[in-house]
Amino acid sequence: MVKMNISELEQIDKFRNLQLTLRDRWKTSELFDNSEADILIVPSLSIDQRELQKIEGCEHYEERLLFSLMRLRNPRTRLIYVTSMPLHPSIIDYYLQLLPGIPFSHARHRLLLLSTYDSSLKPLSQKILERPRLLERIRQALRLDKAFMACYNSTFWEAELSLKLNVPLYAAAPDLQIWGTKSGSRQIFAQSGVPHPDGSKLVKNAGDLATAAADLWERQPTLKRMVVKLNEGISGEGNALLDLRPLLDVAPGKSSHSERVEKISNNFPNLRFQATKETWTNFSQRIPELGAIVESFIEGEIKFSPSVQGRITPDGQVEILSTHDQILGGPDGQIYLGCRFPADENYRLELQNLGLQVGKKLAEKGTLERFGVDFITVDQGNGKWDIQAIEINLRKGGTTHPFMTLKLLTNGRYDLSTGLFYSQQGKAKYYVATDNLQKDRYRGLLPNDLMDIIAHHRLHFDSGTETGTVFHLMGCLSQFGKLGLTSIGDSPQQAEDIYNKVVQVLDQETSDEHNNYTLFSDYAFPIAGDTSGY
C-alpha cells in the first residue's frame, strides 16, 4: 500500500468530505447527468511522465476529453475546459457544431476555454496549481454550489486542486488509485471472485522478479510464456513478454530452483518489449520506482481482448455502461489501438456480470466514477468461453470517449438485457473507434485541412441518421500524422464500412499525386474574424 504522511492523510480527509457534497446534491445518476451544473474539465494525464512518453503524441491527449463539450447540449450546463496549450479554434467549433438542437452561439457562451501556455512535461494539474491568477480566474467563473470537477485520472495533484478551488472531484480518491494498478487489480479480482491468470505479488527489483517468475513456472510447468508488467504502465506500453521455450533446460523437473532463477534473470535482456523503443536497461530501472508483476500469458487459437466499463455514482450505485472488443497491436498484441462496440454477443453479458462484481468491490473500497476491466477470452468450443480478467483502470480510458460521444450525441440508452445501445428512435448503434490512426503521409495536415476533407467528402456525423464519424486528437495530426475517430453505424458492418471509408479518403487526399497541387482559393482569403492563418 502507498504510505502517506500526516499532511497527506489530512488532505485526503478534507478531499473526501468535499466529495460528500456530490452525494447530497445528486441522489440518482439520472439527476447527476441532467442537472444544472458548472463542470470543470481538467484533462491532466497525471501519470508517470516517462511512461507517458512511450505514447507518440501524448502531449495532445488532453484533447481526448473534448467529448465533454457535448454536455453543453443540456442548456443549463456551463463548462470550463483547461489545457496546457491553447486548442485550435476550429477544433472547438467542430465539437460545438455537433450539438443537436442547441444554437452554436448559445453553447459557445456557456464554454470557457483556459490554458496554462506551458508545454513542459508536467501534469496539467500541477501547472494550474503553479499559477495563482489562473486558479483565481477558474474560481471566479464557477458557481461553487453547482460545480464539480472531472479529470483523466486522480492523484494528489487533482486532490490539491479540488481543495484549492473548493470544488468536489468526481473521481476515486488518490489513495484508492492502488486498485487500478496491476498488482491492485489482482487483489480486487481475488476478493471479488473474478477469474484471473496466475501471477505474482508486487516486486521492487529485478532479482525478486526473476524469483517470482520461477515460482510461477513451478506452479504451472506447462507455461510457454509470461507477461512482465510495470505496475503503473498504460495502454500495454509497460508490458514485456518472457518466452520460456528457449529456457526449457531449466524447466521445472530439469533443474534446481536457483538455476531456474539465474537463467531467467540472465534472459531478461531478451524480453520482447511492447513499447517500440523500450530496453531492459531502462525497464529494469523503472522496477524499483514503479514496481512490477509477472503473470501467466493466456494462450489460445481463437482469443479476444474485451473490456467492460462501469461507474460508481456519488451515492454508491454501480452501473455497467458498456462492453467493447479491444483492437490490440504491438509485437504480441498487448498495445491498445482501438475498440469495437459492443463486445461479441457470445460473452458480453457474462462480461457485464463480472464487471458488476468488480464494481461492487471497488465501491466497498470507496472508489467513485469511472472504472474499466480488461479481459482475455478464449474459445473452448461448444459455445463456451474461458474468461480471465487481467487489469482494472480507475480512470478515463481509450473506450471512454467513443462511448460518451455516442451517448451524448444520441441521448440514447444502454440496455443491460442485451448489452446493446439504442438511440431514442429505438435503433441499435455500433461503432469502431481508434486513437491510433497514424501514417507518415498524414503529417503536415492542419486541423483546417482536416475540416476541408471532412466537408468535401461528407465524412461528418449526420445527426439525422445518427451515423458517421466523429474525429478527435486532431492536434496530433500535423506533427505526428496521428488521428482519433469514432465511426458510428446501424450495424457492425456499417460502422466498419464508415471507418474504412475515412481511411481510404485520408489516404487518397494525402497521396503524392493529390499533393502536387493546392487550390489557391482555399488559402487566399481568411474568413472574417479568423486569425488562425496568421
Side-chain angles (χ1 to χ4, degrees):
M1 295 292 287
V2 178
K3 291 183 178 179
M4 294 180 288
N5 58 39
I6 297 299
S7 62
E8 287 175 331
L9 289 170
E10 290 174 347
Q11 184 186 46
I12 287 296
D13 284 343
K14 292 178 181 177
F15 175 84
R16 289 184 188 281
N17 288 333
L18 185 56
Q19 275 193 327
L20 287 176
T21 63
L22 291 175
R23 185 176 299 179
D24 296 336
R25 208 181 305 168
W26 291 295
K27 299 298 183 185
T28 69
S29 60
E30 192 65 25
L31 285 173
F32 181 82
D33 283 334
N34 297 298
S35 64
E36 182 177 8
D38 288 0
I39 308 174
L40 171 63
I41 306 292
V42 181
S44 179
L45 280 76
S46 301
I47 52 185
D48 185 89
Q49 295 297 295
R50 284 171 63 185
E51 287 303 298
L52 186 61
Q53 288 302 300
K54 293 177 181 177
I55 300 176
E56 196 166 20
C58 63
E59 53 266 51
H60 295 283
Y61 272 52
E62 291 174 4
E63 294 180 26
R64 288 210 301 182
L65 297 196
L66 280 172
F67 72 82
S68 303
L69 269 60
M70 294 179 207
R71 290 193 177 277
L72 293 169
R73 68 175 295 158
N74 180 349
R76 298 190 299 162
T77 293
R78 302 194 313 181
L79 198 142
I80 300 175
Y81 200 102
V82 191
T83 52
S84 293
M85 295 297 291
L87 296 168
H88 194 286
S90 64
I91 295 175
I92 302 303
D93 291 351
Y94 171 78
Y95 280 94
L96 295 183
Q97 286 163 355
L98 287 170
L99 296 176
I102 298 291
F104 177 93
S105 59
H106 193 276
R108 188 64 184 84
H109 181 70
R110 292 180 283 114
L111 172 65
L112 176 61
L113 299 170
L114 297 172
S115 172
T116 65
Y117 291 86
D118 181 349
S119 62
S120 64
L121 297 178
K122 289 189 290 190
L124 171 61
S125 297
Q126 181 183 354
K127 296 173 187 176
I128 297 170
L129 286 164
E130 292 171 351
R131 290 163 172 79
R133 289 177 181 269
L134 178 58
L135 262 176
E136 184 58 28
R137 186 170 182 192
I138 294 171
R139 187 184 293 110
Q140 292 291 334
L142 291 168
R143 298 170 294 178
L144 295 183
D145 62 325
K146 302 180 187 303
F148 71 93
M149 175 176 152
C151 60
Y152 172 76
N153 68 316
S154 170
T155 69
F156 284 97
W157 291 119
E158 285 69 41
E160 184 178 351
L161 184 58
S162 169
L163 290 171
K164 289 267 188 183
L165 293 170
N166 198 30
V167 172
L169 174 63
Y170 186 30
D175 61 316
L176 299 176
Q177 293 299 317
I178 185 171
W179 305 121
T181 64
K182 306 299 185 285
S183 60
S185 297
R186 294 183 56 80
Q187 292 179 58
I188 292 291
F189 297 149
Q191 292 172 21
S192 57
V194 169
H196 58 288
D198 194 2
S200 73
K201 294 182 179 179
L202 185 67
V203 299
K204 283 288 193 172
N205 60 67
D208 288 346
L209 185 65
T211 300
D215 290 343
L216 175 57
W217 199 1
E218 289 158 16
R219 291 196 302 273
Q220 295 195 26
T222 59
L223 269 183
K224 298 177 181 178
R225 292 179 282 183
M226 297 181 189
V227 187
V228 179
K229 299 179 178 180
L230 290 176
N231 199 38
E232 298 177 34
I234 55 171
S235 298
E237 301 277 358
N239 291 4
L241 213 61
L242 172 62
D243 194 340
L244 300 173
R245 289 167 291 190
L247 311 179
L248 290 179
D249 57 320
V250 293
K254 293 186 178 181
S255 71
S256 68
H257 175 76
S258 59
E259 289 172 328
R260 195 169 301 114
V261 171
E262 183 180 5
K263 186 73 175 266
I264 289 172
S265 181
N266 291 337
N267 197 60
F268 277 156
N270 299 322
L271 288 171
R272 282 173 58 89
F273 298 102
Q274 303 305 296
T276 53
K277 298 179 182 179
E278 186 61 283
T279 63
W280 172 245
T281 300
N282 180 69
F283 193 91
S284 60
Q285 291 173 354
R286 306 313 321 273
I287 295 173
E289 300 170 33
L290 303 178
I293 65 165
V294 63
E295 194 171 78
S296 302
F297 181 84
I298 300 173
E299 307 284 351
E301 288 187 21
I302 302 177
K303 183 171 69 170
F304 298 99
S305 300
S307 63
V308 60
Q309 292 71 43
R311 74 171 176 180
I312 301 166
T313 63
D315 61 344
Q317 295 181 46
V318 180
E319 299 178 335
I320 297 302
L321 299 176
S322 59
T323 65
H324 293 82
D325 276 320
Q326 298 181 97
I327 302 169
L328 302 178
D332 300 286
Q334 304 263 314
I335 303 292
Y336 178 83
L337 298 179
C339 61
R340 291 181 175 88
F341 171 85
D344 192 287
E345 63 182 352
N346 287 308
Y347 46 71
R348 64 173 173 248
L349 296 186
E350 181 58 21
L351 289 183
Q352 291 181 166
N353 293 333
L354 295 172
L356 195 59
Q357 287 176 234
V358 170
K360 288 178 178 177
K361 183 56 64 176
L362 290 171
E364 284 179 22
K365 304 287 187 185
T367 65
L368 267 185
E369 226 272 53
R370 194 77 44 170
F371 71 91
V373 188
D374 295 340
F375 294 85
I376 298 290
T377 60
V378 179
D379 187 357
Q380 296 183 305
N382 300 320
K384 294 183 179 180
W385 291 80
D386 178 37
I387 303 177
Q388 301 279 326
I390 54 172
E391 66 182 62
I392 297 170
N393 293 310
L394 278 186
R395 53 173 170 78
K396 308 286 194 296
T399 56
T400 303
H401 48 283
F403 181 77
M404 291 306 296
T405 296
L406 172 65
K407 181 174 174 60
L408 292 168
L409 277 177
T410 64
N411 204 24
R413 61 180 180 85
Y414 184 73
D415 184 351
L416 277 173
S417 67
T418 61
L420 296 175
F421 183 91
Y422 295 94
S423 69
Q424 285 193 319
Q425 285 72 40
K427 283 186 178 179
K429 292 291 176 179
Y430 304 82
Y431 60 73
V432 179
T434 184
D435 287 336
N436 293 278
L437 178 56
Q438 185 173 19
K439 298 186 181 183
D440 285 341
R441 65 196 301 168
Y442 298 167
R443 294 177 192 266
L445 281 178
L446 302 177
N448 282 343
D449 298 328
L450 179 64
M451 301 304 164
D452 288 343
I453 293 169
I454 291 170
H456 180 69
H457 292 276
R458 301 182 182 276
L459 301 178
H460 54 274
F461 180 79
D462 185 332
S463 59
T465 62
E466 297 183 323
T467 61
T469 297
V470 179
F471 295 83
H472 62 277
L473 285 182
M474 289 177 267
C476 270
L477 195 54
S478 180
Q479 182 179 354
F480 299 99
K482 185 174 182 178
L483 184 64
L485 53 96
T486 302
S487 295
I488 301 170
D490 290 331
S491 68
Q493 187 59 55
Q494 186 184 28
E496 202 86 33
D497 291 344
I498 291 170
Y499 176 91
N500 289 334
K501 181 184 178 183
V502 170
V503 177
Q504 179 186 352
V505 165
L506 288 174
D507 287 353
Q508 173 190 326
E509 287 285 340
T510 53
S511 66
D512 291 338
E513 180 181 345
H514 194 91
N515 286 331
N516 282 338
Y517 65 91
T518 56
L519 295 177
F520 178 78
S521 60
D522 286 349
Y523 301 95
F525 305 108
I527 298 170
D530 178 11
T531 59
S532 60
Y534 292 96

